[in-house]
Amino acid sequence: MLTLVGASFLMAKPNITILATGGTIAGSGESSVKSAYSAGAVTVDKLLAAVPDINKMATIKGEQISNIGSQEMTNEVWLKLAKRVNELLKKDSVDGVVITHGTDTMEATAYFLNLTVKSKKPIVFVGAMRSGSSMSADGPLNLYNAVSVAISDASKNKGVVVVMNDEIHAAREVTKTNTSSVNAFASVNTGKIGTVYYGDVHYYMQPLRKNTIDSEFDIEKIDSLPRVDILYGHANDSAVLVEAAVKAGAQGIVHAGMGNGNLFPRTQEALSIASKDGIIVARTSRVGTGRTNLHGEVDDEANGFIVTDNLNAQKARVLLMLGLTKTHNRAKLQEMFFKY
């Protein structure tokens, strides 16, 4: 008769694939007490070897997608990563995916996958604010916690999540809020959805906006992304950057405006002209929290603008790029911003 101990021993461990893209979590510097380092200096095999305890809870495989600082992230890497995650999660032999990523653009990449990968299985982003050679490096524990989240049944059907500093955040909501602190990531409008403390996973909220399997965006049918530029509003603004974006061939412009997405008059006039010429103009705010509302001080209908709900500019750009692969109809694009 098989004892409980024996039965537990024979139970197969979950299979987790870790996809490495570079970033601070794979960074290395010459001194443990200086901030200078090179991002993406460490390959995935060495990254995994630094956290041997993850092998006790899962069968781990690693792949190198890229090895860059995330400030170097491109549309091409996004497409490659999303297609590979989709391919992996279709396999019965893969139970979840962890993606190591630099923190500068992690929120945008996570949101891109949140909209394009079709799976209920856990998809977990993780990074670090201190390089692996730094004193009190946060990467190893962050990675251990990320694998813990990826093997948790509670992580299924949550969309893409980001694990940093013992917290679990929904990809749509999370943003980097500090240049260097280990608690740099926060979901400023909604709060974190869970916690993970030395591998102990607890969820308290469920993301409600459409994502992953409920998304209309099919990564298998997307081979390139349209150009969408972000402009930042300010006092005494001008039309120069609007005109430059139009000349460069932008199909969409996200304008991070003042307050509730407000615009300097000359800038608003230039964007209104661009809209009439067929460019999709999306208003968001540079404030950092709150919702950009339709028809406040700006007459969106008269100017041909859409608004981005409470998405920040970098995530609004992601959604607008994907939206433009399907339609240029303003009403339909506006609906997407209220749905995703």
Side-chain angles (χ1 to χ4, degrees), residues 128-258:
M129 293 301 296
R130 296 172 180 164
S131 73
S133 59
S134 177
M135 185 181 294
S136 298
D138 56 326
L141 181 55
N142 283 348
L143 181 57
Y144 181 83
N145 281 337
V147 173
S148 301
V149 170
I151 67 173
S152 171
D153 285 340
S155 298
K156 295 176 181 177
N157 205 26
K158 290 285 194 298
V160 177
V161 299
V162 172
V163 171
M164 291 286 291
N165 197 42
D166 299 348
E167 297 181 342
I168 308 169
H169 295 269
R172 183 190 184 276
E173 310 302 334
V174 72
T175 190
K176 187 174 181 179
T177 64
N178 192 281
T179 58
S180 55
S181 295
V182 293
N183 64 338
F185 280 76
S187 296
V188 291
N189 284 306
T190 60
K192 60 183 178 289
I193 62 171
T195 61
V196 51
Y197 184 69
Y198 288 93
D200 187 18
V201 178
H202 294 276
Y203 283 97
Y204 300 95
M205 288 187 285
Q206 176 80 15
L208 295 180
R209 289 299 178 98
K210 288 185 179 295
N211 60 71
T212 53
I213 60 169
D214 295 321
S215 169
E216 64 196 272
F217 307 111
D218 185 353
I219 194 62
E220 304 306 322
K221 297 178 181 178
I222 300 173
D223 293 316
S224 63
L225 295 167
R227 180 178 182 128
V228 174
D229 290 328
I230 297 174
L231 304 182
Y232 192 92
H234 56 85
N236 201 44
D237 206 346
S238 74
V240 172
L241 294 181
V242 177
E243 293 164 355
V246 172
K247 185 176 180 181
Q251 293 186 38
I253 296 174
V254 175
H255 185 273
M258 297 163 277

Side-chain angles (χ1 to χ4, degrees), residues 40-66:
V42 177
T43 55
V44 65
D45 54 336
K46 293 181 179 178
L47 189 65
L48 301 184
V51 195
D53 283 326
I54 59 176
N55 296 291
K56 296 177 182 177
M57 55 182 167
T59 300
I60 303 292
K61 292 183 179 179
E63 294 182 18
Q64 197 80 47
I65 297 294
S66 64

Side-chain angles (χ1 to χ4, degrees), residues 103-148:
T103 59
D104 284 358
T105 59
M106 182 158 63
E107 64 194 85
T109 306
Y111 187 50
F112 182 78
L113 266 64
N114 197 54
L115 296 173
T116 56
V117 172
K118 303 293 186 185
S119 181
K120 292 183 178 181
K121 295 177 182 179
I123 306 162
V124 183
F125 273 77
V126 65
M129 293 301 296
R130 296 172 180 164
S131 73
S133 59
S134 177
M135 185 181 294
S136 298
D138 56 326
L141 181 55
N142 283 348
L143 181 57
Y144 181 83
N145 281 337
V147 173
S148 301

Side-chain angles (χ1 to χ4, degrees), residues 25-36:
I25 194 169
S28 182
E30 294 181 0
S31 171
S32 64
V33 292
K34 292 188 182 299
S35 60

